[in-house]
Amino acid sequence: MDIMTYPSPQSLDRAAAQLLARTIARKPDAVIGLSTGRTTGSIHRAFCEEIRRSKTDISRVTFFGIDEVTGVSREYAGACYKMLKTEVMDPLGIPEERFLMLPTEADDFAAACRAFTAELERRGGAELIFLGLGENGHLGFNQPGTPFSSTAWHSVMYPELEARIRRETGTPEGKHLGGVTLGLQDILQARNLVLAAKGTSKAAIVQKMIQGPVTEDVPASVLQEHTACLVLLDRDAASKL
Ligand code: GLP
């Protein structure tokens, strides 16, 4: 793992944006995985600005989301599809055929997962996956205890997120809400991984991810085993290292 620490969240955002833009400049047909959340929201804004500033050609790149909320409409503001569309695809004019997402609703999630990973492979496989980090160490929706050998699957949310989405969407208790996600093995197959974490609320899990044992109790600890994984931290997230 390589670790870069930045004095502020804003300087991290700019560095992450430049790194993404450089990846596309180097490989114009790159397949790039993105994550949603507070951490990546401002990175995505900086990325769109960087693409415009640098006039990087994005006409051949494919973006995909590494995970999706299930049991809601994909037009719901908290669905990963809607977030990535609003934050990246619409501002950059990326058409649907170069924006791949797992579905929010499906009769057969296992089949949808297989089709999704097959399509990523068909396009050359992920050149880079940009990850956020859950406070419990989750990557995508791979919660603690997920086998490192997992491939794309229909998982669960963590309780705080499920409660918030249930509240915001008025989803009754009887209806299942979950998360469909690339598995840890799929994530590790990306040629390059970048994980960003900001703020003191991430400091403890950042320390475990980097300096703790590689254990399925901390899904992100598996990143220690990837040969090209870069971790971007602001000063607060790095404060326990
Ligand atoms: C959600 C997403 C993850 C993301 C995580 C971090 O669980 N499914 O892909 O990494 O949130 O979110 P935040 O950056 O808001 O802490």
Side-chain angles (χ1 to χ4, degrees):
M1 268 177 168
D2 288 321
I3 298 154
M4 301 282 290
T5 304
Y6 297 88
S8 66
Q10 294 76 16
S11 53
L12 187 160
D13 291 347
R14 280 194 298 275
Q18 286 166 4
L19 188 153
L20 279 164
R22 275 201 307 273
T23 300
I24 298 170
R26 177 173 55 76
K27 188 167 175 23
D29 62 348
V31 175
I32 295 182
L34 298 175
S35 305
T36 54
R38 290 157 297 172
T39 311
T40 49
S42 53
I43 291 174
H44 293 159
R45 270 192 297 281
F47 170 58
C48 294
E49 281 166 24
E50 178 61 22
I51 291 292
R52 285 192 207 102
R53 192 199 61 76
S54 61
K55 300 191 173 58
T56 305
D57 177 13
I58 48 162
S59 62
R60 290 163 61 208
V61 70
T62 294
F63 290 105
F64 69 93
I66 69 154
D67 58 5
E68 183 55 287
V69 175
T70 67
V72 299
S73 156
R74 71 177 195 168
E75 294 299 333
Y76 155 58
C80 301
Y81 169 84
K82 186 67 179 180
M83 290 171 79
L84 290 178
K85 191 159 160 51
T86 308
E87 293 171 5
V88 178
M89 308 311 146
D90 286 350
L92 294 182
I94 305 290
E96 292 279 319
E97 64 269 20
R98 292 193 287 109
F99 172 35
L100 308 179
M101 290 298 292
L102 287 155
T104 59
E105 310 262 10
D107 292 332
D108 184 347
F109 274 107
C113 285
R114 283 193 299 275
F116 185 75
T117 47
E119 184 57 22
L120 295 182
E121 272 311 300
R122 200 185 64 77
R123 294 185 189 216
E127 178 64 19
L128 181 141
I129 294 183
F130 203 104
L131 298 161
L133 174 65
E135 281 166 32
N136 64 0
H138 71 247
L139 293 179
F141 279 115
N142 298 290
Q143 304 297 345
T146 303
F148 288 157
S149 60
S150 54
T151 53
W153 66 299
H154 193 197
S155 175
V156 292
M157 296 184 204
Y158 50 99
E160 297 80 9
L161 181 65
E162 172 159 0
R164 178 165 68 76
I165 293 184
R166 205 169 275 288
R167 202 169 53 242
E168 286 180 4
T169 52
T171 303
E173 283 300 324
K175 176 157 184 190
H176 180 72
L177 290 176
V180 63
T181 181
L182 283 191
L184 295 169
Q185 190 183 306
D186 302 317
I187 291 173
L188 288 177
Q189 272 168 9
R191 290 186 280 283
N192 297 280
L193 294 173
V194 181
L195 178 143
K198 302 177 201 166
T200 47
S201 66
K202 299 281 171 79
I205 193 66
V206 162
Q207 193 274 332
K208 281 190 187 171
M209 169 180 78
I210 296 174
Q211 296 175 331
V214 176
T215 163
E216 289 176 353
D217 294 338
V218 180
S221 67
V222 78
L223 299 179
Q224 292 179 30
E225 297 189 339
H226 195 278
T227 51
C229 178
L230 176 62
V231 178
L232 310 179
L233 304 173
D234 70 0
R235 197 177 277 151
D236 289 342
S239 60
K240 286 194 193 307
L241 292 176

